[in-house]
Amino acid sequence: MTTTSLPPAAHTRRRGDWWIPAGLLALTFVPAAAGAARLVDLSGGRTVENARFSDLPLPIIVHILGATTFCVLGAFQFMPSFRRRRPGWHRVSGRVLVPAGIAGALSGLWMAAFSDLPVYDNVALMWLRLLFGSLMVAGLVLGLVAIRRRDIASHQRWMARSYAVAQGAGTQALVLGPMVLVVDQPGGNLKAAGMGVAWLINLLVAEWLVRRSQGRGPGRPGQSSRRVW
Ligand code: HEM
């Protein structure tokens, strides 16, 4: 069926869900841009400011490339009309973004566990990173296991949770950004609380959206029951 022969409701649906990847890409813009800036900075050689990363660059490079690939490709997995038009894309993209997400999370866990604590971080934040980074890896593995069993509902739930954790980087920029206006540079417990709240907000929103979508059930005959949102 061509685009022009679609009934009006289908046109609306196609146009109507671009806000999903657009919103998710906007959310990931700040951490992705910070990552690109950090890679450019590292390519310029060692400085006092970047010594923490340039002395052992592999984890931060893997982290930035893996996490950014996961967040950018993942944004399109949640767009129902795109998945209906290109069913092969979801699978091919998934085969790239799952390893990218695992690499991004494991390298983040590695830095949290073994790098010196940055000046504005504290032990509470280190534990939060270990907790949410582990949740991201576990979610990806459980999501993969679920789809291999053809358990689509569990697959959707675990992938949405993992993606929500990864997008925590974007929400953290929104939560911590305004704090800069008040306290110059948030650190210690204030920074840890802001980061933790951002991860929780994302997980709650993802849980609500995925349950609401699955609660709608398969819908009308012929309508896909495999949409996420
Ligand atoms: C659970 C998910 C994540 C964990 C546990 C995590 C953990 C970490 C850790 C431990 C660091 C090093 C902090 C430091 O030593 O200053 C770091 C840095 C960084 N992360 Fe993540 N991260 C996560 C998700 C993401 C995502 C999704 C992105 C991008 C889309 C991202 C982008 C960055 C960037 C750009 C840096 C370097 C910051 C700088 O240049 O100072 N992270 N992350």
Side-chain angles (χ1 to χ4, degrees):
M1 186 184 276
T2 64
T3 309
T4 45
S5 62
L6 284 171
H11 278 293
T12 313
R13 266 204 309 278
R14 277 188 177 192
R15 275 203 306 269
D17 58 6
W18 269 105
W19 65 270
I20 298 171
L24 293 172
L25 290 175
L27 188 58
T28 209
F29 177 76
V30 170
R38 178 58 77 193
L39 292 180
V40 170
D41 166 57
L42 287 174
S43 70
R46 189 181 192 277
T47 63
V48 175
E49 191 272 326
N50 74 19
R52 199 169 74 258
F53 299 123
S54 60
D55 287 346
L56 188 58
L58 189 64
I60 191 70
I61 292 172
V62 171
H63 182 65
I64 290 170
L65 295 180
T68 304
T69 303
F70 181 71
C71 288
V72 170
L73 283 183
F76 297 92
Q77 302 295 74
F78 298 104
M79 184 186 175
S81 69
F82 191 62
R83 290 180 46 189
R84 269 195 300 273
R85 260 177 297 152
R86 302 194 190 283
W89 165 270
H90 184 75
R91 277 190 214 105
V92 173
S93 175
R95 286 185 190 130
V96 175
L97 68 83
V98 168
I102 290 177
L106 287 179
S107 49
L109 285 171
W110 196 94
M111 289 188 290
F114 300 117
S115 297
D116 290 341
L117 269 183
V119 186
Y120 293 104
D121 291 9
N122 65 7
V123 175
L125 177 53
M126 180 195 78
W127 281 108
L128 284 175
R129 283 183 159 138
L130 293 177
L131 174 71
F132 286 103
S134 306
L135 178 62
M136 185 173 156
V137 176
L140 287 169
V141 171
L142 290 170
L144 206 56
V145 169
I147 201 59
R148 291 199 167 262
R149 288 197 320 258
R150 296 276 163 259
D151 180 352
I152 291 166
S154 297
H155 169 70
Q156 290 176 337
R157 280 201 294 272
W158 282 114
M159 288 303 177
R161 286 169 189 148
S162 274
Y163 191 74
V165 171
Q167 281 283 14
T171 310
Q172 281 152 6
L174 294 178
V175 171
L176 295 179
M179 285 187 193
V180 172
L181 301 173
V182 184
V183 291
D184 187 29
Q185 178 68 55
N189 284 336
L190 184 61
K191 181 176 178 186
M195 302 270 286
V197 164
W199 269 313
L200 283 180
I201 291 172
N202 278 18
L203 277 172
L204 288 173
V205 171
E207 206 65 34
W208 174 67
L209 286 173
V210 83
R211 277 171 196 271
R212 196 182 67 140
S213 159
Q214 291 183 346
R216 285 191 204 124
R220 295 184 299 281
Q223 190 178 11
S224 169
S225 61
R226 300 177 66 180
R227 80 193 154 194
V228 175
W229 308 125

